[in-house]
Amino acid sequence: MKYLSIFMYATVSFLLVISAWQLVIFFGDYPEALLPSPFMVFQGIISLIQDGTLFEHVRVSLFRFFVGYLSAVVVAIALGLILGRTTRVWKVIDPIVQVLRPVAPVAWAPFIVLWFGIGNMPAIVIIFIAAFFPVLLSTVSAVKKIDKTYLKLAQNLEIGKSSLLLKIIFPAAFPYIANGLHIAVGTAWIFLVAGEMIGAQSGLGYLIVDSRNALDLDLVLAGIFFIGILGLLLDKSIGLFEKWVGKQWGVQGS
């Protein structure tokens, strides 16, 4: 019943969007060349599926996303565990992080293209930057919030620094780090599209730019539709993972 209810609400939401879209076209008297109808976009989606173009773009986009995102997660968690334990070093690093964090990853695009060329790497690097800071900051914050009892117990047992990080600090902090992973998914997915608009010859972002240049606005909207759907699926997936972590480690995610 729960999944049936979710499906019904999703269907109603979808129908509302389609109806509003069609009403805007009807009352605004927009020509289809400027605002394609839902039916035109549906035809565009079918054509992309039939020639295999859609699956290729989705495959490439997901590959870039997971490489950039997972790389950022590994590096950010490793650094966060260390910096969270070295207060003085973090006080030096924190101002640098706070200056770089608000800078949109696409602002680095000219340098990224010069350093890494065109193809997969610019998009992967932009995704890495987008996901890195949320995970790093959540990890440092999580390490600082760890119950001091765990650390005193480890000290009494004379546990080494590496074992302390991996066997005590990381498990204790991970339920809170999961929140950062959730935030980073959305941020990284948004900038994936921007990254694929810079020096890429494939992917959903490239599909949108290429279709725009060819004035195929139905395909532009088709690309936007699939970006939204995949983003929703990724967000729900990481949300389920966050809940699972909360149950396993005794902390329920928000």
Side-chain angles (χ1 to χ4, degrees), residues 48-122:
L48 290 173
I49 292 174
Q50 288 177 339
D51 62 17
T53 303
L54 177 63
F55 299 110
E56 179 61 21
H57 287 310
V58 168
R59 182 190 66 80
V60 171
S61 290
L62 289 177
F63 168 76
R64 290 168 178 159
F65 173 79
F66 282 114
V67 171
Y69 176 76
L70 294 177
S71 300
V73 166
V74 171
V75 174
I77 289 178
L79 284 176
L81 291 174
I82 296 171
L83 293 174
R85 290 286 296 155
T86 52
T87 305
R88 291 183 179 178
V89 176
W90 176 242
K91 286 181 179 179
V92 175
I93 299 296
D94 184 46
I96 301 173
V97 171
Q98 297 305 330
V99 169
L100 294 177
R101 182 174 61 90
V103 179
V106 290
W108 301 102
F111 298 101
I112 292 172
V113 172
L114 287 173
W115 296 338
F116 297 98
I118 60 175
N120 289 328
M121 283 307 298

Side-chain angles (χ1 to χ4, degrees), residues 144-189:
K144 291 180 178 296
K145 292 178 180 177
I146 291 176
D147 191 340
K148 301 301 181 184
T149 305
Y150 295 133
L151 303 179
K152 291 179 180 178
L153 179 62
Q155 186 177 12
N156 292 335
L157 295 175
E158 298 183 349
I159 296 177
K161 291 184 178 180
S162 58
S163 296
L164 176 66
L165 285 176
L166 295 176
K167 296 181 179 180
I168 294 181
I169 293 178
F170 179 63
F174 193 73
Y176 302 98
I177 296 173
N179 292 326
L181 300 181
H182 198 164
I183 296 170
V185 163
T187 306
W189 185 250

Side-chain angles (χ1 to χ4, degrees), residues 35-48:
L35 182 58
S37 66
F39 181 70
M40 282 187 64
V41 174
F42 177 74
Q43 287 182 314
I45 291 173
I46 295 300
S47 68
L48 290 173

